[in-house]
Amino acid sequence: GNVIPIAPGDVAPAIVVPGGWDDRSIDFQAESVAGMVTQNASFNCAAAQTLLRPRGWPHRDAFLARLERFMAMSPARRPWYPGAAERYQRLTEGRPGVRRSAAPGDTLPWTLVPGLDPRADDELYRTDF
């Protein structure tokens, strides 16, 4: 299986390409994407912030669950970038299905916002944390 990271800057996607995936390749690729997200607390323009998974892909939910597990293994970090905490609140507040990892003290949790409509003009598609 392949995950293609694309880094045009700001809200960079990771694209999952369906194929001959097994448990080992799902774990490997999910851990790789988790590293793309958590590196430098996700405060760089090449950080993966959008995950594209094919509809109907039999491993769609398993990949997301493993990604969430690997992200949670990385300690939460302080939002040192100016305005990050406020943007985080604005972009995640009131959204259904938001999944957050534990975040002690003055850190922000690793967060997944599943089920976004790719046709919508959603601020998450154009606003970097």
Side-chain angles (χ1 to χ4, degrees), residues 24-42:
R24 188 172 165 188
S25 62
I26 292 171
D27 280 341
F28 178 82
Q29 296 294 351
E31 185 175 21
S32 178
V33 171
M36 291 177 207
V37 173
T38 61
Q39 188 272 333
N40 196 34
S42 206

Side-chain angles (χ1 to χ4, degrees), residues 40-122:
N40 196 34
S42 206
F43 288 114
N44 61 49
C45 63
Q49 292 189 6
T50 303
L51 177 65
L52 303 171
R53 298 169 298 149
R55 290 188 198 277
W57 182 47
H59 305 293
R60 185 177 166 95
D61 293 334
F63 187 89
L64 192 62
R66 288 179 182 154
L67 171 63
E68 184 175 21
R69 181 173 49 105
F70 284 118
M71 286 171 58
M73 293 169 84
S74 183
R77 296 178 179 103
R78 239 180 82 240
W80 56 267
Y81 202 77
E86 293 80 14
R87 276 190 305 283
Y88 175 83
Q89 289 300 326
R90 187 180 80 245
L91 292 169
T92 61
E93 194 170 275
R95 290 184 179 266
V98 172
R99 294 150 63 167
R100 296 176 173 91
S101 65
D106 62 349
T107 62
L108 288 179
W110 302 119
T111 304
L112 295 174
V113 182
L116 295 176
D117 182 349
R119 298 163 298 203
D121 183 24
D122 195 306

